């Protein structure tokens, strides 16, 4: 039996130390510890696929929490099925001792484990949906207060006001005004909206 550990953080600026610390003392060989810095939105994960190819029936996999396997209910259940049914691998979820496939190999044990897995997968996905909703609500509230997101716009060229007024008076075309200001027509027209609001 070979022992493996799989660690995933969603972005390159997140730290995997918490998951690494949880796996210390589990007798996982260094070359069997797979660390991934990728989003869980899909399974385009080189380290996970590499680990899966190496695993054989009877091997043991440790993960810190159930959402390391995926970011939605169906994906977590599918990967659990692939690992336990197709590959014949045992899984231990460190945050949830009930999810340890080494225990309860009888029908009742497997049934209880499947129920717990489905409930936890649903909870993990539901929590992510709530986080996304709270983020969207926070952004909407900030915008309502006048908070601007993204990079601040570049300063307008010194001759923009003159070109804008001549364009509004019909003395020159938008293309000519944009050329005078050294910007694309779309940018000139976009900036014209905010310039007009500020002017009046």
């Amino acid at each position: 039996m070979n022992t493996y550990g799989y660690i995933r953080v969603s972005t390159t600026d997140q730290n995997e130390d918490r998951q690494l610390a949880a796996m210390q003392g589990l007798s996982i060989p260094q070359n069997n510890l797979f660390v991934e810095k990728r989003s869980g939105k899909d399974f385009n994960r080189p380290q996970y696929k590499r680990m899966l190819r190496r695993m054989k029936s009877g091997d043991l996999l440790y993960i810190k929490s159930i959402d390391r396997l995926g970011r939605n209910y169906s994906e977590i259940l599918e990967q659990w099925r692939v690992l336990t049914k197709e590959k014949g691998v045992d899984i231990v979820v460190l945050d949830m001792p009930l999810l340890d496939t080494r225990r309860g190999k009888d029908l009742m044990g497997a049934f209880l484990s499947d129920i717990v897995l489905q409930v936890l997968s649903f909870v993990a996905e539901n929590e992510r949906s709530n986080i996304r909703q709270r983020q969207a609500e926070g952004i909407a509230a900030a915008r309502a207060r006048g908070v601007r997101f993204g990079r601040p716009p570049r300063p307008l060229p010194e001759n923009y006001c003159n070109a804008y007024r001549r364009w509004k008076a019909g003395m020159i075309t938008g293309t000519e005004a944009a050329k005078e200001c050294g910007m694309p027509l779309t940018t000139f027209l976009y900036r014209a909206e905010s310039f007009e609001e500020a002017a009046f």
Side-chain angles (χ1 to χ4, degrees):
M1 182 191 76
N2 289 313
T3 305
Y4 293 85
Y6 179 68
I7 290 169
R8 179 177 65 78
V9 290
S10 297
T11 58
T12 53
D13 58 343
Q14 287 184 337
N15 196 304
E16 66 271 19
D17 288 351
R18 185 177 66 89
Q19 293 177 64
L20 281 168
M23 294 192 186
Q24 284 181 350
L26 294 176
S27 302
I28 302 171
Q30 190 62 38
N31 64 335
N32 283 359
L33 194 58
F34 292 82
V35 180
E36 200 103 63
K37 291 198 174 189
R38 282 178 177 262
S39 169
K41 66 183 178 185
D42 56 46
F43 256 76
N44 182 22
R45 302 189 212 165
Q47 292 299 312
Y48 181 84
K49 289 177 179 177
R50 196 168 136 243
M51 179 186 72
L52 207 56
R53 284 194 298 270
R54 284 180 53 184
M55 285 178 143
K56 295 179 174 59
S57 179
D59 286 347
L60 175 63
L61 171 65
Y62 286 100
I63 54 175
K64 177 76 168 69
S65 56
I66 192 64
D67 60 356
R68 299 305 86 195
L69 283 182
R71 295 204 60 175
N72 63 62
Y73 178 64
S74 59
E75 192 64 74
I76 291 170
L77 292 176
E78 173 60 14
Q79 292 310 310
W80 188 275
R81 186 193 65 77
V82 168
L83 288 162
T84 59
K85 304 293 193 293
E86 291 184 16
K87 300 291 288 186
V89 171
D90 275 316
I91 306 175
V92 175
V93 181
L94 297 172
D95 280 355
M96 180 55 60
L98 279 173
L99 288 178
D100 181 344
T101 60
R102 298 171 303 177
R103 300 177 185 169
K105 291 285 187 181
D106 61 355
L107 186 61
M108 181 57 74
F111 175 69
L112 290 174
S113 179
D114 282 350
I115 288 175
V116 172
L117 171 66
Q118 292 193 42
V119 170
L120 287 176
S121 302
F122 174 78
V123 168
E125 183 177 4
N126 195 52
E127 178 57 23
R128 277 187 295 273
S129 297
N130 289 339
I131 289 169
R132 283 195 296 270
Q133 184 178 343
R134 287 195 294 270
Q135 286 173 336
E137 289 170 354
I139 290 169
R143 283 190 173 138
R145 293 193 310 270
V147 175
R148 288 176 173 258
F149 294 90
R151 290 181 299 179
R154 292 173 63 181
L156 289 170
E158 290 181 12
N159 65 336
Y160 187 87
C161 181
N162 181 38
Y164 170 83
R165 290 200 171 115
R166 286 163 52 227
W167 167 66
K168 285 297 278 186
M171 298 167 64
I172 57 173
T173 66
T175 303
E176 291 169 330
K179 190 173 181 181
E180 281 185 23
C181 296
M183 58 176 61
L185 176 60
T186 51
T187 304
F188 177 85
L189 296 174
Y190 174 76
R191 298 299 294 273
E193 291 179 20
S194 55
F195 183 80
E196 190 170 339
E197 288 174 9
F200 299 100

